[in-house]
Structure formats: C-alpha cells, structure tokens
Amino acid sequence: MAKENKLKDFEFLFKKLKKNYGKLLLINLIFSIPLGASIGIAYLINMLVHMDLLIYPLALVFSAPFYPGVVVLSRDISEGTFKGEYLKRYLEVSKENWHKFLLSGVFLYIAFEICYLGIYMYMGMAAKYGWVFYIPMAFSVLIMLFFLFLFYGVFLMIPSFELKMRSVYKNSALSTFGELKGNFMATLCIIIYLLVLCLPFIVISYLASVLPAPVVIAMLTAYVILAVVFLLPAPCSMIISHYRYKDMLRIIAGVKQESEKTTEEKADKVKEEVKEELADGDEDIEKLLNGNDDDYVFYKGKMIKRGLLRKLNEQTKGENIDE
C-alpha cells in the first residue's frame, strides 16, 4: 500500500509539472536575467584570476537575492494557490527576502566548496594510495547530502514562514533527518528530471559523426546554458516544494490551509498522539520546553515546534487537574 501511494504521488507530481511547465518556464525567464548576469560576472572575474573552481560557483551568491520569487511562485503553483501575478509577486517576495537569501547563498557557496574539494581530494588519494581513502570520501558524500537537504529546507522556509534565521537553520538541520523520506524523494525526482534534460546530449553527440567538432562543442555549450538558465530553477524548486512544504505546514503550529484537509488531519493526529504521551507523564519534558518557541524539538520520535509542545503540555496538565 505504501509503495502504491508513493507511485501515485510520483505520478501526480509529474502530471503537475507537465500541466504547469509553461508557467514554470515563464518564471525561469524572469529569473534568467539576474542568473545570466551572475554567470557573466563570475566569468569576467575568472578571466582575471583563472580560478574556475572558486570563481564560477560565486554565481550562486550573486543570483541568490533574486531566487525568493522563484521559490514562492513555484511553491504556489505546486499548492494550487497561484494567482497569475508573475512579475509583481516575484519582485515583492524578492524584495522582502533578498538579504536572507544573500546570506544563505554565501553559506551555500562555502558548503559547496567544502564538499567538492573533500570528495575530489579523497577520490584522487584513493586512486593513488588505495581504497582506504574511499572511507573519508564516503563521509564527504554524506556531508554533501546533509547540506543539500539542509538548503532544501532553508530556501523554502525563509519566504514561507516568519522565523528568525537562527530558527530557520536549526529547524532545517533537524528536518534533514526528520523528513528524510521527503528529501530523498525530492532528490530522486530532480535526478530523473535532469536525466530527461540530458537526452538532447545524446542527439547532439550523435551529430559529432557528421558535423565539425567546433560546431558540436558550440551546440553542447549552448544547450548547457539553456538548460541551466531556462529549464532548471523553477521545476526543481517545485519538486522540492511538492515533497517538503506540506510537512513544514504539518509541523509548524497554527499553519493550516482550508484546501489541505489531509494536512490538517495529520497535524491533529500528531497533536493527539503527543497529548496522549504527555498524559502518561514525562520527567524530561521541562528540559525540552526551555528555549525559543520558534525552534523545533524531537519528542517521542516526532518533530514538533517547542511552542506547540508547551501549549499541549499546559492543556494536558489542565485536563489532569479537572479529572
């Protein structure tokens, strides 16, 4: 039954992508201006210093302040709440969140460099000195996955909820483990989408037998630029929203949507389960309640907002007194 639900959800996602692909391309078109400029600036800087690995990823930082609009518009399309206001909505959201996304872009750049250099270094050492270096390389891959799942949450959580940056990162870090299934499913779907985008490479590579090499190289380069700028950002963001946003709504107190009855039911079920466990008594509960109400904690295997846990604990105490 669980496998059938996953397949239905998977099929539903790609039906949504197919139905709304034109809208997503239009969002990409808006974002292509700052993204293209960011890549161009990185290219010009690299012409001066010739440090490809360090300079080209700076495009992530330069374009980050303009990415909030992509996240929110693709999220709204995924949730069926999109109202058709492309540019106005894009500019409003980007204006509100550009500074937080810029900071997160810097963190993303640092994380990318650490992971890439670690994997590249240990892979070279394993080839030269033996298989034992595959062990630290595997740890580097795990760290890369942690950062990948972390930023899934960070970039979706910042424009979606009124939280401090500290809470955003702490809660996103917790969700890397707490929402592991959704993170893996989002990554799998993005990989499938990337493989689909790679199909034209086969056609272009086949033309190498009949066309001059410079022409084939130019075609491949042009397609890579086209894919990165016009085909990737919004669809990938929508995939992440599809698998992560409902879970965010479920675990954040007081966030409900009338159109999402299943989400409300899940939230109510979690609350009832937590109240039942609180009613049984827990000596360690006071330790969990110390801290910011916006932070999330793990209680009896459930990820829940501290403020909600405090409220449920007070309600349980009141019911016990009445009895």
Side-chain angles (χ1 to χ4, degrees):
M1 188 68 180
K3 290 183 178 179
E4 290 180 3
N5 290 335
K6 287 181 182 178
L7 287 173
K8 287 180 180 179
D9 191 44
F10 181 82
E11 184 181 353
F12 178 58
L13 168 63
F14 279 90
K15 281 184 178 179
K16 283 199 299 184
L17 278 172
K18 182 179 178 181
K19 179 181 178 182
N20 297 290
Y21 203 68
K23 296 176 181 178
L24 297 172
L25 291 183
L26 186 54
I27 296 170
N28 282 344
L29 184 62
I30 298 172
F31 183 57
S32 67
I33 299 172
L35 179 59
S38 300
I39 295 172
I41 293 170
Y43 177 77
L44 292 175
I45 295 174
N46 191 60
M47 288 180 64
L48 299 175
V49 297
H50 302 290
M51 299 176 68
D52 297 11
L53 180 60
L54 293 176
I55 301 304
Y56 281 128
L58 282 174
L60 295 171
V61 180
F62 301 149
S63 61
F66 306 95
Y67 192 59
V70 176
V71 173
V72 171
L73 289 176
S74 58
R75 181 204 69 196
D76 290 348
I77 290 173
S78 176
E79 294 299 301
T81 59
F82 181 65
K83 298 180 180 179
E85 298 178 345
Y86 290 93
L87 187 58
K88 181 182 178 182
R89 179 74 167 146
Y90 175 90
L91 293 175
E92 286 177 352
V93 174
S94 297
K95 184 179 179 181
E96 291 174 2
N97 299 281
W98 71 268
H99 54 297
K100 294 181 179 179
F101 269 68
L102 177 60
L103 180 61
S104 297
V106 173
F107 293 154
L108 176 61
Y109 170 79
I110 295 171
F112 172 82
E113 293 294 340
I114 291 172
C115 294
Y116 182 88
L117 290 172
I119 294 171
Y120 181 81
M121 179 181 70
Y122 289 123
M123 186 181 294
M125 294 176 74
K128 189 174 182 179
Y129 300 111
W131 64 269
V132 69
F133 286 99
Y134 283 119
I135 298 174
M137 190 189 80
F139 279 110
S140 298
V141 172
L142 290 175
I143 293 171
M144 179 196 70
L145 287 175
F146 169 79
F147 280 124
L148 180 66
F149 297 161
L150 173 75
F151 284 105
Y152 282 176
V154 167
F155 287 122
L156 183 56
M157 199 175 290
I158 288 174
S160 299
F161 307 104
E162 292 292 334
L163 296 173
K164 295 179 180 179
M165 287 295 283
R166 176 180 170 275
S167 296
V168 166
Y169 275 88
K170 183 174 181 179
N171 299 331
S172 297
L174 286 171
S175 70
T176 59
F177 304 104
E179 305 298 337
L180 200 59
K181 183 178 72 173
N183 286 324
F184 273 120
M185 287 302 298
T187 304
L188 175 62
C189 291
I190 289 173
I191 290 173
I192 292 172
Y193 179 64
L194 291 175
L195 290 175
V196 172
L197 292 184
C198 286
L199 292 177
F201 275 100
I202 300 174
V203 177
I204 296 173
S205 300
Y206 177 77
L207 294 175
S209 60
V210 294
L211 293 176
V215 175
V216 174
I217 293 172
M219 291 174 67
L220 287 172
T221 304
Y223 180 71
V224 169
I225 295 173
L226 174 69
V228 170
V229 176
F230 293 102
L231 302 178
L232 275 180
C236 290
S237 180
M238 180 177 170
I239 291 171
I240 295 169
S241 296
H242 176 80
Y243 282 107
R244 291 299 313 278
Y245 187 60
K246 287 182 176 63
D247 290 322
M248 288 183 181
L249 290 177
R250 174 172 56 82
I251 61 178
I252 292 180
V255 178
K256 293 184 178 181
Q257 290 185 345
E258 293 180 1
S259 61
E260 296 294 344
K261 293 183 180 178
T262 56
T263 301
E264 293 185 16
E265 290 169 0
K266 287 180 180 179
D268 291 338
K269 183 179 178 181
V270 170
K271 290 178 183 178
E272 289 302 319
E273 290 175 354
V274 170
K275 286 181 72 173
E276 289 176 4
E277 289 160 352
L278 287 169
D280 294 334
D282 190 340
E283 296 178 357
D284 298 326
I285 187 65
E286 294 302 327
K287 295 179 181 178
L288 286 176
L289 295 179
N290 289 330
N292 194 323
D293 282 354
D294 288 333
D295 292 340
Y296 293 90
V297 294
F298 276 107
Y299 180 71
K300 303 291 186 181
K302 298 177 180 63
M303 185 176 172
I304 187 170
K305 203 171 182 181
R306 181 179 278 118
L308 176 57
L309 182 60
R310 191 192 310 279
K311 181 180 178 181
L312 294 175
N313 187 49
E314 290 172 355
Q315 289 177 359
T316 305
K317 286 181 178 178
E319 290 172 2
N320 291 338
I321 292 172
D322 292 338
E323 292 175 2

